[in-house]
Amino acid sequence: MNGKALAKFLAAIAIIVAAFIYFIGPLAQSIKQGLDLQGGTHIVLEAEDAGENKVTDDAVERARQILERRINEMGLAEPLIQREGKKRIIIELPGVKDPDQAIKTIGKTAVMEFKDENGVVHLTGNDLKDAKEQIGQNKQFMVGIEFTDAGAKKFGDLTTANVGRHIGIYLDGEQLTNPVVNEPITGGKAVITGSQTLDDAKNLAILLRSGALPVKVNVLEVRTVGPTLGQDSKDKSVTAFAVGVGLIVAFMLILYRVSGFVATMALLIYVLALLAVLHFLDATLTLPGIAGIILSMGVAVDANILIFERFKEEVKVGKTLRMSMESGFRRAFATIVDANVSVMITAAILFVLGSGTVRGFAVTLGLGVLISMITAVFVSRYLLRMLIECNLTNHPFWYGANVSPTATMELYKKGGKK
């Protein structure tokens, strides 16, 4: 027995286990949770032609960007806004329990117009520079607006020509307010009254700041996931993860003994590395994403199994443990690469052609396969080298060979299994 090598191996194992225990909780909690885990509102919008505003790829993309600005200004945590197909936009709002209020804010076309008493439009939302909610002297809720330079001149001309008359302010064809002009307003600023609450004024300001949607959007689907259902899904996914890891570890230990123990240590590093990458990429984890992680764990172990089986074949022809291990890794490498590349190609196809949850599954599966290949080939190899150098035992049984532990190496080499 090599005491120095054994101490080095045990130290490496202790570091791996300690790092896993210390980092697994914070890393898992730092990853954003999707709608199906946290609860919230799922909205599907579809663009449609409205008069001169036709649905084009550019128009839908601009609509998505405007919706994203509106949602971000609402202060919602970890929203997801993405396109689906040519006309649809998917919006997921984790934690939002009132979908109606959300739709009122994000779904409006938000076409703002300033009209005189004859119904002639003199200014639009394009002439606005900024808009903010305010509380007046009599606790009146209003929106303070500021015009662009060109808009300020238009508004000054409009108010100068309409002293003593009404100027109507409309949003999507509905009148917000219809004040009487007492004197010309040339400062480039004005207020819009009529909001019932401060939230109403805030939502109106958000609409005005974000701009008008280039096309009309209709709500096709609204689905609310309650926090209880989300927590239940989270608990079940954690249980599935724990059961999956437990079964994999038991399988590897029973079938490959100390080699299986090494594979388990590599699996711990794999889990930490995958969670760290997801955290770095600011990914949002969903149930399909968790399924992709669990599946990629099986792929990670599959690479170790290929290596260990090659290792056993080399031992059978009489090579030493060290030579068998090096040869096993070398011969299995091409097979591992071929198998993992085929899975990653499948994941790439799912990501390109899929959407929403399918993409989440594809991302975690692809990342998992890539990281698992690295840990299986390099981490397992390094740990096995350290273990063999310890010289605890030279008997192939403890490395997964199907031979009785009481049999001698000579009998095993000659095929005299007991």
Side-chain angles (χ1 to χ4, degrees):
M1 180 184 299
N2 188 335
K4 185 177 180 180
L6 179 60
K8 184 178 179 182
F9 176 74
L10 293 178
I13 297 302
I15 292 173
I16 292 173
V17 173
F20 183 83
I21 295 174
Y22 184 80
F23 289 109
I24 186 65
L27 276 177
Q29 294 173 7
S30 68
I31 299 176
K32 295 188 297 185
Q33 298 174 3
L35 196 69
D36 48 4
L37 297 178
Q38 184 178 345
T41 299
H42 175 91
I43 304 172
V44 180
L45 303 175
E46 185 175 66
E48 68 172 23
D49 296 333
E52 297 181 355
N53 298 325
K54 303 297 182 181
V55 176
T56 63
D57 184 73
D58 179 67
V60 175
E61 178 59 25
R62 284 190 289 123
R64 186 198 65 79
Q65 294 174 1
I66 291 172
L67 291 172
E68 186 172 17
R69 286 201 299 269
R70 292 181 183 178
I71 292 170
N72 289 337
E73 292 194 13
M74 290 171 66
L76 300 178
E78 303 165 4
L80 174 66
I81 305 98
Q82 62 184 13
R83 291 182 59 178
E84 181 182 60
K86 295 182 178 180
K87 295 185 177 182
R88 294 187 180 182
I89 300 174
I90 306 297
I91 299 175
E92 292 188 353
L93 307 173
V96 174
K97 309 302 185 298
D98 186 1
D100 293 335
Q101 183 60 44
I103 292 172
K104 287 180 181 178
T105 302
I106 65 178
K108 282 185 176 293
T109 309
V111 175
M112 189 177 186
E113 298 171 319
F114 291 75
K115 299 180 180 180
D116 60 22
E117 290 184 345
N118 297 321
V120 178
V121 178
H122 292 266
L123 292 94
T124 67
N126 294 329
D127 296 306
L128 294 183
K129 180 179 180 181
D130 194 13
K132 293 183 179 179
E133 66 274 13
Q134 298 177 356
I135 300 179
Q137 295 180 350
N138 299 322
K139 294 184 178 181
Q140 185 180 20
F141 304 110
M142 61 186 68
V143 177
I145 58 176
E146 182 179 356
F147 295 97
T148 62
D149 292 340
K153 184 179 185 308
K154 292 180 183 178
F155 190 67
D157 294 341
L158 176 63
T159 54
T160 300
N162 288 273
V163 174
R165 299 179 182 179
H166 291 274
I167 293 179
I169 304 176
Y170 297 80
L171 182 68
D172 290 343
E174 296 183 7
Q175 189 180 86
L176 296 176
T177 183
N178 191 33
V180 175
V181 179
N182 295 320
E183 59 184 9
I185 303 174
T186 58
K189 295 183 179 180
V191 294
I192 301 175
T193 60
S195 298
Q196 299 299 315
T197 65
L198 184 61
D199 284 340
D200 290 341
K202 179 181 179 181
N203 291 335
L204 177 57
I206 290 173
L207 290 173
L208 299 180
R209 284 198 303 269
S210 62
L213 293 176
V215 288
K216 182 179 179 181
V217 292
N218 290 324
V219 179
L220 292 186
E221 177 188 354
V222 178
R223 184 172 71 250
T224 302
V225 179
T228 301
L229 181 60
Q231 184 63 43
D232 181 63
S233 299
K234 190 190 308 181
D235 293 340
K236 288 182 178 179
S237 63
V238 171
T239 301
F241 182 82
V243 171
V245 171
L247 290 176
I248 289 173
V249 170
F251 174 82
M252 295 302 292
L253 290 177
I254 293 173
L255 209 61
Y256 296 102
R257 294 92 183 186
V258 293
S259 296
F261 176 76
V262 167
T264 300
M265 293 300 102
L267 187 63
L268 297 184
I269 295 178
Y270 156 77
V271 172
L272 287 181
L274 179 57
L275 292 179
V277 170
L278 292 175
H279 171 76
F280 177 76
L281 295 177
D282 198 28
T284 299
L285 193 60
T286 62
L287 282 177
I290 294 176
I293 292 176
I294 296 175
L295 181 59
S296 65
M297 287 169 52
V299 175
V301 174
D302 181 62
N304 279 287
I305 290 175
L306 289 173
I307 293 169
F308 296 157
E309 289 297 326
R310 291 287 191 180
F311 173 86
K312 288 162 57 176
E313 291 177 1
E314 297 299 319
V315 170
K316 288 180 182 180
V317 299
K319 293 183 180 180
T320 64
L321 292 178
R322 180 61 180 266
M323 291 180 62
S324 298
M325 183 271 293
E326 296 291 348
S327 181
F329 273 90
R330 186 172 59 254
R331 293 181 59 189
F333 182 76
T335 304
I336 293 172
V337 171
D338 290 343
N340 287 344
V341 167
S342 63
V343 175
M344 292 181 66
I345 291 174
T346 302
I349 293 173
L350 289 175
F351 181 82
V352 173
L353 299 182
S355 61
T357 55
V358 176
R359 283 191 167 187
F361 172 81
V363 168
T364 54
L365 178 60
L367 285 175
V369 168
L370 180 61
I371 296 172
S372 70
M373 185 168 62
I374 296 174
T375 56
V377 173
F378 295 102
V379 177
S380 296
R381 188 173 194 171
Y382 181 73
L383 291 177
L384 268 178
R385 281 177 177 173
M386 294 176 65
L387 180 60
I388 293 174
E389 288 177 1
C390 294
N391 199 26
L392 290 174
T393 176
N394 288 324
H395 202 290
F397 170 82
W398 299 109
Y399 293 88
N402 298 324
V403 58
S404 170
T406 59
T408 63
M409 279 293 294
E410 288 75 18
L411 286 174
Y412 181 69
K413 292 177 184 179
K414 294 178 180 178
K417 298 181 181 180
K418 294 185 178 180

